[in-house]
Amino acid sequence: MPEAWTGFSYIVTNLARFIRPGEVTFSGVNSTPPMLACLLAKRAYDFGFTWINVAGGVQPTPSRIPISSSDPVLSEGSAAIFANEDFYDLCTRGGMDLCFLGAAQVDGLGRTNVSVIGDWHRPKVRLPGGGGGAVMLPTARRAVTWRTEHSKRALVGKLDFVTAAGGMHGVVTPVAVFVKRDGRLALQSWHPEASLEEVRERTGFAFDADGAVPTAAPTARESAALRALDPQGRFESDAKVALR
Amino acid sequence: MTVTSPKIVSLAEMAARVTDGASLALGGSFLHRGPFAFVRELIRQGRRNLEIVKQSPGYDLDILCRAGCVGKARAGIVAMEGNFGLAPWYRRAVEKGEIVLEEHACMTLTAGLRAAAFGIPFQPVGGVHGSDLAALNQWASVRDPYGSGRDVWVIPAIRPDIAVIHANEASPEGDTRIYGTFNWDRIMTRAARRVFVVAEKLEPLESFRERPELTLVPGFMVEAVAVVPRGAWPGSCWPLYEVDYPAVERYMDTAGSLAEHMAESPETAEAAHA
């Protein structure tokens, strides 16, 4: 019997599935799922890739998995410190193959808002703000984001503010994986316990679902890697990801 | 080690050199290696209307907002990070209009600092295309004067009055070493008019001369050094100590008071034993 998904394993594992052989892949601040995805890919996949992170790490071998995805332990075992200016400059000159970036709202073009809910000048909720997106999203070769909630307030028809344009290559939620096709987000697969109808109902933008299928179950190696990274389920309980 | 040098000052003396309304670039990132003891000393001294410049502030900007010390923030991404989410007192201060926010991407703020460091009025930056941040901040773009046809966004210079960084080691002359990532500290120290260093400990000048390539900031650029062990608490200082998560949880607990949190700080304990 294949392994079952949890909302949390669905997000982390499907983020990891965007990582490709030989590429430079970056994980940043406030980004626990991508940090775990990079660590998972190192354990579960046979190919090599260059993992760099916001703690200055280049192919690090951290002795523990930190709560904070910018913890300096993520440069442990690294042979270089590749600090903030360096990885941004690498990105803007076209050397970042895959960049994981956070988002509060995503629209059908894969643009993001991490600035504000409501009017920028009269905010209902002041969000963390610009961060990497405005510079990295348009310049990374591919950027991928995630939301721990799949709803019309997260996947919106219209962003309250366009913090970053350029368009996500991929978006992972607890029930769906979107990939950019012809400049718009298209559904690639859905959680096998959800349905195409449910994803449509809970998404604020229209999307193409040609060829979309239920997401393949986690492999034994993917599941084992995630269990090894989170043996007590601490990250899973912190993330509070629910299917619905 | 007992060393005297005109650059070595107490934390209180260092903070007293900051005037109300000053622009401060603060080193580190989120809960990691920030000059947090220095920030708490600004609060004790009742500083007001400060401008805080930092790509990824968190606890530092939040506690300064909580104490009413901030006039303006120029920042990329503001959060407590770890598993703590948004920075609550900062968020409230912006939502109530109590502080002015200049929202950046981390790299546009850095471009402004680079302009100041290079001694030029503005600095091109990659990306930004399609972002509402450009119109919001009235940034200009320029067409490549060498004919590629590409448009590049340019960010005006950002020159803080003082860069304050937390470092592992300083010499009595102000030479400064950081272990692990130095985040944005290097460009901050080049962009600011003055540089203050809070160090975990002093090391002799000879040890810096033996390995000059490990020095991030040369002493001639540093005006003052304060030695404050555990001064990045409740954050981390690699490789000496990790984030004190229970202390951050207590800080975030709205049932607790700012005074209780301040009383927990290592520099308070140090002063009590002095």
Side-chain angles (χ1 to χ4, degrees):
Chain A
M1 191 180 138
E3 300 253 4
W5 294 111
T6 66
F8 177 74
S9 72
Y10 188 85
I11 290 175
V12 173
T13 309
N14 282 294
L15 288 174
R17 289 176 177 180
F18 278 103
I19 297 171
R20 295 179 186 169
E23 290 192 343
V24 175
T25 299
F26 172 80
S27 65
V29 295
N30 246 348
S31 297
T32 307
M35 169 188 78
L36 293 170
C38 291
L39 288 159
L40 183 154
K42 286 286 182 191
R43 285 162 174 76
Y45 303 146
D46 288 324
F47 60 80
F49 66 97
T50 302
W51 176 34
I52 62 176
N53 64 50
V54 70
V58 182
Q59 302 289 48
T61 52
S63 58
R64 59 184 177 82
I65 313 301
I67 294 170
S68 155
S69 70
S70 62
D71 194 297
V73 77
L74 293 171
S75 67
E76 208 175 20
S78 180
I81 293 294
F82 200 63
N84 300 56
E85 285 184 80
D86 259 332
F87 57 71
Y88 274 97
D89 292 339
L90 177 74
C91 190
T92 60
R93 68 178 178 261
M96 191 90 87
D97 295 304
L98 176 59
C99 183
F100 289 110
L101 290 168
Q105 293 178 328
V106 184
D107 72 6
L109 298 172
R111 302 182 300 174
T112 60
N113 170 25
V114 290
S115 297
V116 68
I117 300 300
D119 181 76
W120 194 94
H121 295 278
R122 299 173 57 88
K124 260 189 268 180
V125 182
R126 178 63 225 173
L127 297 170
V135 164
M136 286 178 148
L137 183 51
T139 57
R141 292 191 177 277
R142 299 192 321 287
V144 170
T145 194
W146 73 99
R147 281 302 329 251
T148 54
E149 158 189 328
H150 192 125
S151 68
K152 289 185 176 179
R153 58 177 207 167
L155 304 168
V156 299
K158 187 179 187 314
L159 299 169
D160 288 7
F161 185 86
V162 182
T163 312
M168 287 289 170
H169 168 78
V171 178
V172 179
T173 77
V175 292
V177 179
F178 294 93
V179 175
K180 188 157 58 173
R181 188 191 300 157
D182 302 327
R184 288 190 61 86
L185 291 175
L187 188 67
Q188 181 182 61
S189 71
W190 65 82
H191 192 302
E193 289 166 42
S195 64
L196 174 57
E197 293 67 38
E198 180 181 345
V199 174
R200 282 212 197 278
E201 204 169 286
R202 291 168 62 182
T203 304
F205 53 80
F207 57 84
D208 182 0
D210 281 359
V213 292
T215 310
T219 66
R221 287 182 71 188
E222 287 171 336
S223 293
L226 189 54
R227 268 196 303 275
L229 290 167
D230 192 22
Q232 275 92 45
R234 181 184 55 153
F235 289 102
E236 175 136 23
S237 75
D238 271 356
K240 296 184 194 71
V241 184
L243 191 62
R244 295 184 182 88
Chain B
M1 177 165 67
T2 306
V3 184
T4 54
S5 151
K7 289 193 179 178
I8 301 173
V9 299
S10 69
L11 188 62
E13 288 167 324
M14 180 178 275
R17 295 190 189 183
V18 177
T19 54
D20 285 353
S23 173
L24 302 177
L26 301 178
S29 178
F30 287 131
L31 283 168
H32 307 296
R33 210 180 38 69
F36 297 157
F38 173 83
V39 159
R40 288 186 291 270
E41 186 58 26
L42 293 173
I43 293 171
R44 289 185 198 99
Q45 295 189 13
R47 214 59 79 240
R48 288 290 175 265
N49 198 30
L50 297 171
E51 176 181 286
I52 303 302
V53 179
K54 182 166 175 172
Q55 287 85 345
S56 47
Y59 167 84
D60 39 13
L61 179 55
D62 196 69
I63 195 172
L64 285 167
C65 286
R66 189 173 180 177
C69 303
V70 180
K72 182 176 181 181
R74 308 172 86 176
I77 177 171
V78 187
M80 296 301 293
E81 220 231 4
N83 51 357
F84 297 109
L86 299 173
W89 280 277
Y90 158 79
R91 181 187 155 188
R92 190 171 314 161
V94 176
E95 288 171 5
K96 290 187 169 176
E98 292 166 359
I99 69 167
V100 174
L101 170 63
E102 182 177 306
E103 182 182 345
H104 278 267
C106 295
M107 205 57 198
T108 61
L109 190 74
T110 304
L113 293 171
R114 282 179 173 176
F118 299 166
I120 55 179
F122 61 86
Q123 170 66 33
V125 63
V128 184
H129 307 296
S131 169
D132 286 346
L133 288 173
L136 181 74
N137 290 303
Q138 299 177 288
W139 291 331
S141 76
V142 296
R143 177 64 49 96
D144 176 1
Y146 298 103
S148 73
R150 287 177 61 190
D151 291 312
V152 180
W153 290 96
V154 290
I155 310 299
I158 297 171
R159 184 141 166 81
D161 295 318
I162 310 170
V164 187
I165 66 171
H166 186 90
N168 295 73
E169 294 164 354
S171 80
E173 304 303 314
D175 306 287
T176 298
R177 272 198 291 251
I178 285 171
Y179 293 136
T181 179
F182 53 90
N183 298 111
W184 306 100
D185 291 30
R186 185 182 180 283
I187 191 65
M188 284 180 176
T189 60
R190 273 60 173 175
R193 290 184 170 82
R194 303 156 72 189
V195 179
F196 293 175
V197 174
V198 181
E200 289 286 331
K201 64 174 195 166
L202 286 177
E203 283 287 321
L205 185 56
E206 290 66 37
S207 87
F208 286 82
R209 287 186 165 142
E210 281 164 16
R211 295 298 305 277
E213 65 278 3
L214 299 184
T215 302
L216 188 73
V217 192
F220 80 90
M221 290 172 55
V222 175
E223 175 183 315
V225 175
V227 179
V228 185
R230 293 193 65 80
W233 177 91
S236 78
C237 184
W238 180 261
L240 301 171
Y241 48 92
E242 297 176 15
V243 174
D244 183 348
Y245 284 97
V248 181
E249 267 171 47
R250 290 191 292 277
Y251 168 79
M252 298 283 282
D253 182 355
T254 47
S257 70
L258 179 57
E260 285 170 66
H261 171 72
M262 298 279 282
E264 272 194 69
S265 69
E267 70 274 11
T268 308
E270 187 81 359
H273 295 129

